[in-house]
Amino acid sequence: MKKRVGLFWSLLIALILSAGLTSCSEEEFDAEDERKLIESFLKENDIDVEPTASGLYYIELIRGTGLPATTGDTLFVYYTGYYLSGRILDYNRNSDPLPVVLGENSVIEGMEEGLGYMKDGGEALLVIPSKLAYGEEGNFQMGI
């Protein structure tokens, strides 16, 4: 029987998805500009944390209890995803938690990685660059 871990967290999508949503063919996606946007956001919000090797910024807001989640665990997640501007991208706060089986890649890569750092009852802010979210062109199909 799989261990069930209930987690609550907030997700922050760090890219304003301008490459795929606002510019289309007008501008090329620029990873350096994205990096500067993320750094500016972190500075403005007084967040001093280094990215993981993949580029994810994991900011633990409330430390959970127990062991971290592991591959195969079913996590029950409440989340709110934001653009850097503060506009809401997606959320499930007014519904049932999202069941996520860690390791099945049913959510974006940055969310999958961030959930792996969390413990039961924890809260975290994830700043996710586009390469770990919907890609440089804003492809919103899960698992791509």
Side-chain angles (χ1 to χ4, degrees), residues 6-13 41-42 47 49 52 56-65 75-82 93 110-128:
L7 298 176
F8 169 84
W9 61 282
S10 296
L11 168 68
L12 176 71
I13 301 292
F41 172 83
L42 295 171
I47 298 171
V49 64
T52 64
L56 173 72
Y57 290 84
Y58 177 81
I59 301 98
E60 189 170 54
L61 303 174
I62 297 176
R63 184 178 302 262
T65 59
L75 313 177
F76 296 93
V77 181
Y78 285 103
Y79 68 92
T80 302
Y82 299 91
R93 300 273 183 171
M111 183 172 170
E112 179 92 17
E113 180 183 346
L115 288 172
Y117 298 129
M118 297 184 72
K119 296 179 182 178
D120 188 22
E123 293 183 29
L125 175 68
L126 307 176
V127 180
I128 304 173

Side-chain angles (χ1 to χ4, degrees), residues 1-137:
M1 184 169 164
K2 299 276 186 219
K3 175 175 67 169
R4 293 187 173 248
V5 181
L7 298 176
F8 169 84
W9 61 282
S10 296
L11 168 68
L12 176 71
I13 301 292
L15 176 62
I16 301 175
L17 301 176
S18 60
L21 297 178
T22 60
S23 64
C24 294
S25 61
E26 293 176 20
E27 294 178 29
E28 292 291 319
F29 175 81
D30 188 335
E32 180 62 20
D33 287 343
E34 179 184 51
R35 184 188 63 73
K36 289 177 183 176
L37 282 172
I38 292 171
E39 287 178 358
S40 176
F41 172 83
L42 295 171
K43 184 176 181 178
E44 289 170 11
N45 289 281
D46 199 29
I47 298 171
D48 184 23
V49 64
E50 292 295 317
T52 64
S54 71
L56 173 72
Y57 290 84
Y58 177 81
I59 301 98
E60 189 170 54
L61 303 174
I62 297 176
R63 184 178 302 262
T65 59
L67 298 173
T70 60
T71 300
D73 287 347
T74 299
L75 313 177
F76 296 93
V77 181
Y78 285 103
Y79 68 92
T80 302
Y82 299 91
Y83 293 101
L84 281 179
S85 66
R87 189 176 63 145
I88 292 177
L89 168 69
D90 189 23
Y91 68 95
N92 74 336
R93 300 273 183 171
N94 298 328
S95 63
D96 293 328
L98 175 69
V100 176
V101 179
L102 204 59
E104 287 190 351
N105 300 317
S106 61
V107 294
I108 60 174
E109 189 176 343
M111 183 172 170
E112 179 92 17
E113 180 183 346
L115 288 172
Y117 298 129
M118 297 184 72
K119 296 179 182 178
D120 188 22
E123 293 183 29
L125 175 68
L126 307 176
V127 180
I128 304 173
S130 61
K131 69 180 183 176
L132 300 177
Y134 300 108
E136 297 171 356
E137 297 188 18

